[in-house]
């Protein structure tokens, strides 16, 4: 472990401890899946914390085999309220999918759990777009209308499927979907802003969601993802209380051409170096998370635990 890794590990442990002190057992799949991976990275994937958190996620599975937020929700503020058992694409691909995939690779999550997510993502409805494909926000028909294309959600699907395929998972139409999402996100990318809109051709998305888009596109269209990450890691948004999550998420981004330390080179990444300046910001976020405190602590724990492996 390096000094940089130790610094992020300390923050991950602090976030885990805060979450555990506040947890009343009624959080959602996002929080518990994040905690499972965070604790797996910190204490080992056979630790009792990991087993308990994975069991909580399994118990929250929807009747259709997916995951969501287990409460009613009007996703687009259009008056159509989704039922509490609605499956959401981002919950499948990112909130549960990536922790499950990482857990599988560590021997803690059964293979069929990950394959089930792959299958469900490939079967998710699509939103009609001009070029490529866009995966719908949820399984509900009302969320599949033209114009309801949420860019970070589709990019995250391609990212998860890319990583799952590299780990040995597959499914009919997987490669075509990854390709088509990449095409669609390339078209939506705003070169002047180095940014993506949140939905359709609307306003630019907030830094937190932008960081998910950038992370997702990094292995799919490297130079676009790299420039988006660089902008995020070299700027701050003090008026946006969730923007620290963008920095925390991206510190663990792998290196690559133009993405190694400018001073030392490989194996120290540019992103790990740029992350050093955001350690005080992470401290403040963990000490005083914004609304939805438990989920924010779980996110911080997860991202910081991933960052603990940086050089």
């Amino acid at each position: 472990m390096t000094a940089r890794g130790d610094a992020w590990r300390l923050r991950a442990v602090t976030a885990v401890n805060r979450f555990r002190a506040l947890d009343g057992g009624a959080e959602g799949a996002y929080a518990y899946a994040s905690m499972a991976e965070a604790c797996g990275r910190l204490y080992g994937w056979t630790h009792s914390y990991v087993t308990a958190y994975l069991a909580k996620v399994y118990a929250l599975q929807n009747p259709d085999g997916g995951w969501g937020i287990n409460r009613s929700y009007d996703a687009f503020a259009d008056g159509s309220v989704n039922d509490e058992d609605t499956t959401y694409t981002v919950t499948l691909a990112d909130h549960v999918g990536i922790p499950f995939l990482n857990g599988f690779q560590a021997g803690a999550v059964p293979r069929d759990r990950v394959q089930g997510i792959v299958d469900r993502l490939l079967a998710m409805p699509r939103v009609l777009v001009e070029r490529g494909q866009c995966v719908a926000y949820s399984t509900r028909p009302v969320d599949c209308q033209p114009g309801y294309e949420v860019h970070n959600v589709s990019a995250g699907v391609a990212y998860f499927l890319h990583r799952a395929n590299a780990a040995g998972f597959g499914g009919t139409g997987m490669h075509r979907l990854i390709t088509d999402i990449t095409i669609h996100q390339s078209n939506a990318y705003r070169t002047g802003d180095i940014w993506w809109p949140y939905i359709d051709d609307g306003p630019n998305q907030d830094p937190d969601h932008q960081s998910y888009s950038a992370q997702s596109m990094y292995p799919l269209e490297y130079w676009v993802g790299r420039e988006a990450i660089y902008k995020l890691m070299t700027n701050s948004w003090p008026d946006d209380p969730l923007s620290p999550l963008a920095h925390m998420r991206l510190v663990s981004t792998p290196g690559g051409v133009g993405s190694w330390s400018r001073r030392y080179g490989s194996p120290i990444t540019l992103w790990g170096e740029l992350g050093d300046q955001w350690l005080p910001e992470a401290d403040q976020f963990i000490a005083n998370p914004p609304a939805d405190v438990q989920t924010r602590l779980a996110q911080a724990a997860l991202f910081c635990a991933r960052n603990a492996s940086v050089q």
Side-chain angles (χ1 to χ4, degrees):
M1 186 72 73
T2 64
R4 178 175 291 116
D6 284 341
W8 285 110
R9 179 184 175 86
L10 174 62
R11 286 154 179 84
V13 170
T14 300
V16 166
N17 289 341
R18 286 212 65 202
F19 180 97
R20 290 185 60 79
L22 296 171
D23 184 24
E27 297 303 314
Y30 190 9
Y32 289 131
S34 297
M35 287 294 290
E37 182 182 336
C39 292
R41 289 177 177 274
L42 293 173
Y43 310 125
W45 284 91
T46 60
H47 196 281
S48 60
Y49 290 177
V50 179
T51 303
Y53 286 130
L54 287 175
K56 288 178 180 291
V57 180
Y58 298 156
L60 290 167
Q61 193 168 21
N62 288 330
D64 69 358
W67 277 270
I69 58 177
N70 299 104
R71 59 180 173 82
S72 299
Y73 179 51
D74 183 353
F76 293 98
D78 59 4
S80 61
V81 180
N82 294 336
D83 298 336
E84 63 181 20
D85 62 353
T86 297
T87 289
Y88 291 94
T89 304
V90 71
T91 313
L92 276 175
D94 183 57
H95 302 171
V96 174
I98 294 296
F100 273 21
L101 180 58
N102 290 334
F104 163 77
Q105 292 179 306
V109 174
R111 182 181 186 87
D112 64 343
R113 292 283 185 181
V114 180
Q115 186 63 55
I117 292 176
V118 170
D119 294 342
R120 287 173 183 86
L121 286 173
L122 293 175
M124 287 293 288
R126 308 287 194 265
V127 175
L128 183 64
V129 294
E130 184 176 350
R131 291 189 65 219
Q133 292 189 60
C134 180
V135 180
Y137 192 79
S138 82
T139 51
R140 300 300 186 193
V142 71
D143 291 343
C144 308
Q145 303 175 62
Y148 279 18
E149 50 189 291
V150 179
H151 294 287
N152 72 84
V153 169
S154 282
V157 170
Y159 173 67
F160 172 81
L161 293 176
H162 165 85
R163 285 203 49 201
N165 196 216
F169 294 90
T172 302
M174 173 188 276
H175 300 130
R176 176 63 183 272
L177 181 57
I178 294 170
T179 301
D180 283 356
I181 288 174
T182 304
I183 290 170
H184 177 59
Q185 296 312 313
S186 297
N187 289 342
Y189 179 69
R190 291 169 170 166
T191 56
D193 295 337
I194 315 179
W195 215 269
W196 281 273
Y198 176 75
I199 184 172
D200 195 25
D201 193 30
N204 287 348
Q205 60 190 344
D206 60 90
D208 179 24
H209 287 96
Q210 173 72 1
S211 71
Y212 182 38
S213 287
Q215 177 192 59
S216 298
M217 292 300 290
Y218 187 76
L220 304 175
E221 196 169 44
Y222 175 75
W223 288 107
V224 173
R226 188 238 177 242
E227 285 302 281
I229 291 174
Y230 186 80
K231 180 169 184 176
L232 285 158
M233 290 299 291
T234 55
N235 285 277
S236 65
W237 296 265
D239 294 332
D240 185 331
L242 294 181
S243 64
L245 290 169
H247 298 137
M248 281 187 270
R249 178 191 290 273
L250 295 173
V251 169
S252 62
T253 303
V257 178
S259 298
W260 295 113
S261 165
R262 291 169 174 169
R263 176 177 294 184
Y264 302 107
S266 176
I268 300 173
T269 69
L270 174 62
W271 319 121
E273 269 190 345
L274 290 174
D276 293 349
Q277 66 188 305
W278 305 118
L279 284 165
E281 177 191 72
D283 289 335
Q284 295 170 12
F285 186 92
I286 293 167
N288 187 30
D292 198 6
V293 169
Q294 288 294 86
T295 298
R296 303 311 174 196
L297 285 171
Q299 288 176 284
L302 174 59
F303 297 157
C304 292
R306 289 174 180 169
N307 298 346
S309 64
V310 300
Q311 298 289 327

